[in-house]
Amino acid sequence: MAEAQSDSFDVTVNPDLTDSQRQVSAQGSAGLAAATMQLRSLEFLTDSLRRSERERRRQREELEGNARSKGLQSPIAGLAASWLSVGAALGAADSETGAEFGRFNVFSNLDYRFGDREQTANAPGNDLSMLGITVGADYRVNPDLVIGATLGYVANDTEFTTSNGRLKLDSYSLSGLIAWYVWRNLYIDGLARMAFDDFDARRRLAGGGTAIGQTDGSEYSLSASSGYEFYYGALNYGPLVRVTYTDISIDGYRERGGTNPLAYEDQDIESLRTAVGGDATYAINTGFGVVVPQAAVEWVHEFEDDPRLIVAQPTTGGARFGVPTDPRDSDFYRVALGVTGVLTRGRNIFFRYEADLSRANQDNHTVTLGARLEL
């Protein structure tokens, strides 16, 4: 047996842990996956609304004859008159007072994440299925600044293929967001998120029966990104950098049922990631609006990649032992393809597919479908 340090005491790491005992290591991974999926959905939303407001301002300036030559071209100027005139007909703009259509907006995102993980020495193989929904509203303070708030829910279902166990997670969140052009085409986006988690774990025991464990947890996340946009006709492209911090706490709990249930101590999971990459969009004018295909690629680096040790003990008493986890991937890549439809009367719809590449022993894919309506 090996020894590992946990706080101020030594905990024995038993090399003969069963696959079902190793299932507990997936709780932190599930919590981090839920936080990541919803943060990515919100990051895509801030990107879409920021660009939408930027283009609206440019179109208005062109229509009012106040545009100044900055070496930039509006990618949807060809349709500006048609869909802005609809807003004007609805009382959307008042050039004398500065009141503008679409200051207050509502939106909703639906996310689905799926993937699988191969069995390792510290974790059983599993299939992941995660569904999330986000609803919220944003307010355009001025043409360069948008703020908003959201409510979110994520349901995670992890099925362990090598131990016949299951882990379910229900996560309820509240988030705030900001999208801001600080200077011309230089922007900063920010997100703050807190969530409350309910875990339901079930594992099959070698001696017979099923051990059931239920506990609560919490998540806190902060994300800030910045980039610069270049324009060449209908093409918009540029570099970006992002920093994301997530802290997840899982309360200790005691299993019930089965022949040898366990008690687990509190867990704390931290993640600090940077992402460096770039994205590009191209605006295509159509008879019903503007279609904007999008593509992005990022290199993600994880600073908190050390393995953890989860302390457990039989509920009937006995020696405490540690359940080790796998280290996280220090580096991987993220690619995304999507399309946004900018329609009349302040309606936006968007679709996005995203995948993680070069991750050890796992595959992750996320699909996002969303809509935004200006009021």
Side-chain angles (χ1 to χ4, degrees):
M1 295 186 181
E3 299 289 327
Q5 190 71 22
S6 177
D7 294 333
S8 59
F9 52 85
D10 289 335
V11 176
T12 299
V13 179
N14 187 346
D16 298 322
L17 290 172
T18 65
D19 279 349
S20 71
Q21 290 173 327
R22 295 188 179 95
Q23 284 181 195
V24 68
S25 65
Q27 293 176 349
S29 300
L32 184 57
T36 299
M37 184 181 74
Q38 199 158 66
L39 283 172
R40 292 296 295 153
S41 182
L42 293 173
E43 287 162 358
F44 180 42
L45 175 68
T46 58
D47 180 74
S48 297
L49 68 88
R50 172 174 40 76
R51 296 187 187 216
S52 174
E53 299 304 335
R54 183 66 169 181
E55 290 306 326
R56 178 175 292 280
R57 189 183 78 164
R58 287 178 183 164
Q59 296 158 32
R60 186 181 63 255
E61 290 175 347
E62 291 175 3
L63 291 176
E64 294 174 353
N66 295 326
R68 297 187 179 97
S69 176
K70 299 177 181 178
L72 303 175
Q73 299 180 20
S74 170
I76 53 178
L79 272 184
S82 63
W83 65 288
L84 283 181
S85 63
V86 175
L90 295 172
D94 184 341
S95 60
E96 293 182 358
T97 62
E100 297 170 359
F101 177 70
R103 278 186 177 271
F104 185 76
N105 314 278
V106 293
F107 55 82
S108 178
N109 286 7
L110 182 67
D111 303 284
Y112 178 63
R113 183 182 178 99
F114 59 97
D116 60 75
R117 182 187 181 97
E118 298 177 1
Q119 183 176 8
T120 67
N122 296 322
N126 63 71
D127 292 328
L128 169 71
S129 178
M130 187 177 297
L131 182 67
I133 184 170
T134 304
V135 296
D138 62 80
Y139 180 77
R140 180 166 50 81
V141 179
N142 58 51
D144 293 324
L145 176 63
V146 180
I147 58 176
T150 75
L151 294 174
Y153 169 71
V154 175
N156 170 82
D157 188 358
T158 302
E159 184 176 356
F160 297 97
T161 55
T162 56
S163 60
N164 296 319
R166 203 176 196 99
L167 170 67
K168 291 188 177 182
L169 164 66
D170 293 300
S171 180
Y172 307 86
S173 65
L174 173 66
S175 304
L177 59 88
I178 180 173
W180 181 28
Y181 276 99
V182 295
W183 180 77
R184 292 188 178 180
N185 298 336
L186 176 66
Y187 65 85
I188 294 176
D189 294 342
L191 297 169
R193 177 182 181 270
M194 64 177 181
F196 303 95
D197 299 336
D198 292 326
F199 293 90
D200 187 335
R202 298 170 185 267
R203 64 185 186 91
R204 298 288 182 86
L205 303 177
T210 300
I212 300 173
Q214 296 174 322
T215 188
D216 300 322
S218 60
E219 305 169 19
Y220 301 93
S221 299
L222 294 172
S223 176
S225 58
S226 181
Y228 192 89
E229 296 176 344
F230 297 93
Y231 291 87
Y232 184 78
L235 178 64
N236 177 350
Y237 61 95
L240 64 88
V241 60
R242 180 183 302 108
V243 179
T244 303
Y245 174 77
T246 300
D247 183 274
I248 300 172
S249 298
I250 302 176
D251 296 339
Y253 65 97
R254 296 170 64 90
E255 294 177 326
R256 64 182 189 277
T259 56
N260 188 27
L262 298 175
Y264 300 95
E265 297 188 3
D266 294 349
Q267 301 180 53
D268 186 66
I269 302 97
E270 287 186 293
S271 172
L272 177 60
R273 289 177 176 177
T274 56
V276 179
D279 61 1
T281 66
Y282 190 87
I284 303 172
N285 293 341
T286 71
F288 58 85
V290 181
V291 178
V292 187
Q294 302 165 311
V297 60
E298 297 177 352
W299 162 53
V300 182
H301 178 72
E302 172 67 72
F303 290 88
E304 299 288 343
D305 56 352
D306 292 335
R308 298 181 297 117
L309 194 66
I310 304 168
V311 180
Q313 183 182 24
T315 57
T316 55
R320 304 159 80 200
F321 60 92
V323 181
T325 69
D326 287 329
R328 291 194 214 113
D329 294 306
S330 301
D331 300 279
F332 63 93
Y333 298 93
R334 181 181 288 147
V335 296
L337 295 173
V339 61
T340 297
V342 183
L343 310 178
T344 59
R345 300 181 182 178
R347 297 170 298 172
N348 288 3
I349 57 174
F350 46 87
F351 170 84
R352 184 180 178 95
Y353 165 76
E354 186 172 273
D356 294 345
L357 304 179
S358 302
R359 302 202 68 170
N361 307 311
Q362 61 179 303
D363 291 313
N364 292 305
H365 308 267
T366 306
V367 175
T368 298
L369 180 65
R372 182 169 175 260
L373 176 64
E374 300 178 354
L375 303 178

